[in-house]
Amino acid sequence: YHADTFFNDLHKTLKADFIMANPPFNLSNWGQDKLKDDIRWKYGVPPAGNANYAWIQHMIHHLAPNGKIGLVLANGALSTQSSGEGDIRKNIIEADLVEGIVSMPTQLFYSVTIPVTLWFITKGKKQKGKTLFVDARKMGYMVDRKHRDFTDEDIQKLADTFKAFQDGTLEEVKGFCAVADIQAIAAQDYILTPGRYVGIEEQEDDGEPFDEKMKRLTSELSDMFKKSHELENEIREKLGAIGYDI
């Protein structure tokens, strides 16, 4: 039945074990003024100008006691503090519902090129009080100039990472995955951007001593500056020759 799920919830008593969704990103004018007292807004009334946290709470409301949600959202939902969204996110985190957040690369969609985030929201988490953060922005391959896809190995790597986290056997990898408790997330103002938690991947030591590397790099930079000044003077001369002094 074709309907607006906010205004006419056709499954008011439904409690789902699994929910998978790709709701419209940053939907404005979704009718918040008519739904301010709705039972679904347990963690706060979503702002009128953005439905992201309305979708999230709509799904949580329909989740069974041990249910799981997997959804795709625009990256802004990870860190927004606008119009009470930060407080809603804080309340959802404090309720220990966020099991995992995965940053995805750009160009995964045919219609938009923006990077997105996978949210995994779970009631009855195996790892209570903890959230898995994964930075997958470097994963995948370009199918053509405009579209990126994941290999089966990429997908399996993400699945294995989640399973290891749930089993309590995950080894954190700098720049890729990390586990944070609610206190650590609170210290980051309840912002869920994975990069804040996974850090920067460790660079392989090339064996060149630091002092020697700095001397080499500063020498190269000096040569670049010299070349830059030469080009600047040449451009000034050529512009001056045609009557445009700088």
Side-chain angles (χ1 to χ4, degrees), residues 219-230:
S219 176
E220 292 175 3
L221 186 60
S222 177
D223 291 341
M224 289 178 184
F225 282 157
K226 183 179 178 182
K227 184 66 175 176
S228 173
H229 288 309
E230 291 174 357

Side-chain angles (χ1 to χ4, degrees), residues 53 56 69-71 73 77-78 100-101 117-121 192:
Y53 280 94
I56 291 173
I69 300 170
L71 71 147
L73 279 180
L78 297 169
I101 299 287
T117 309
L118 303 183
W119 291 56
F120 294 93
I121 295 173
L192 294 174

Side-chain angles (χ1 to χ4, degrees), residues 5-227:
T5 192
F6 287 138
F7 293 110
N8 185 19
D9 187 352
L10 293 172
H11 308 283
K12 286 185 171 62
T13 61
L14 172 70
K15 298 297 181 182
D17 294 313
F18 300 100
I19 298 173
M20 185 168 63
N22 178 11
F25 296 161
N26 305 318
L27 181 67
S28 60
N29 301 318
W30 54 275
Q32 179 250 38
D33 57 320
K34 302 183 185 71
L35 296 167
K36 285 188 176 179
D37 297 322
D38 197 278
I39 191 173
R40 290 169 289 182
W41 314 149
K42 180 178 179 180
Y43 303 100
V45 179
N50 196 315
N52 287 343
Y53 280 94
W55 292 119
I56 291 173
Q57 292 190 86
H58 172 74
M59 295 176 211
I60 292 174
H61 176 74
H62 283 292
L63 203 57
N66 291 303
K68 295 177 178 292
I69 300 170
L71 71 147
V72 184
L73 279 180
N75 287 355
L78 297 169
S79 58
T80 177
Q81 304 289 0
S82 302
S83 306
E85 287 178 307
D87 290 331
I88 298 173
R89 185 174 59 252
K90 172 185 175 180
N91 292 336
I92 292 171
I93 292 167
E94 290 284 358
D96 200 18
L97 291 171
V98 182
E99 184 170 27
I101 299 287
V102 182
S103 288
M104 303 295 277
T106 59
Q107 297 173 291
L108 285 173
F109 292 88
Y110 286 101
S111 54
V112 294
T113 61
I114 62 171
V116 298
T117 309
L118 303 183
W119 291 56
F120 294 93
I121 295 173
T122 303
K123 286 187 176 180
K125 290 159 54 175
K126 287 185 177 179
Q127 294 296 325
K128 300 194 181 304
K130 296 179 180 179
T131 298
L132 172 65
F133 292 93
V134 178
D135 188 341
R137 290 177 296 173
K138 293 182 180 179
M139 295 178 72
Y141 68 100
M142 296 303 294
V143 177
D144 51 43
R145 194 168 54 87
K146 295 183 178 180
H147 180 229
R148 182 187 298 272
D149 205 347
F150 275 25
T151 64
D152 291 342
E153 289 76 16
D154 290 330
I155 295 169
Q156 191 63 52
K157 181 178 180 180
L158 291 175
D160 290 345
T161 300
F162 256 87
K163 187 173 188 310
F165 164 65
Q166 291 174 334
D167 293 343
T169 60
L170 179 69
E171 292 186 15
E172 296 183 348
V173 178
K174 278 278 189 183
F176 177 64
C177 65
V179 177
D181 59 22
I182 293 175
Q183 290 72 28
I185 298 173
Q188 293 289 339
D189 295 324
Y190 297 95
I191 289 172
L192 294 174
T193 306
R196 289 189 174 226
Y197 304 94
V198 303
I200 301 171
E201 64 181 316
E202 295 179 359
Q203 301 295 319
E204 190 173 325
D205 187 2
D206 58 9
E208 184 178 9
F210 178 77
D211 287 341
E212 291 181 16
K213 181 180 288 188
M214 287 303 296
K215 287 177 182 177
R216 174 176 61 79
L217 292 174
T218 52
S219 176
E220 292 175 3
L221 186 60
S222 177
D223 291 341
M224 289 178 184
F225 282 157
K226 183 179 178 182
K227 184 66 175 176

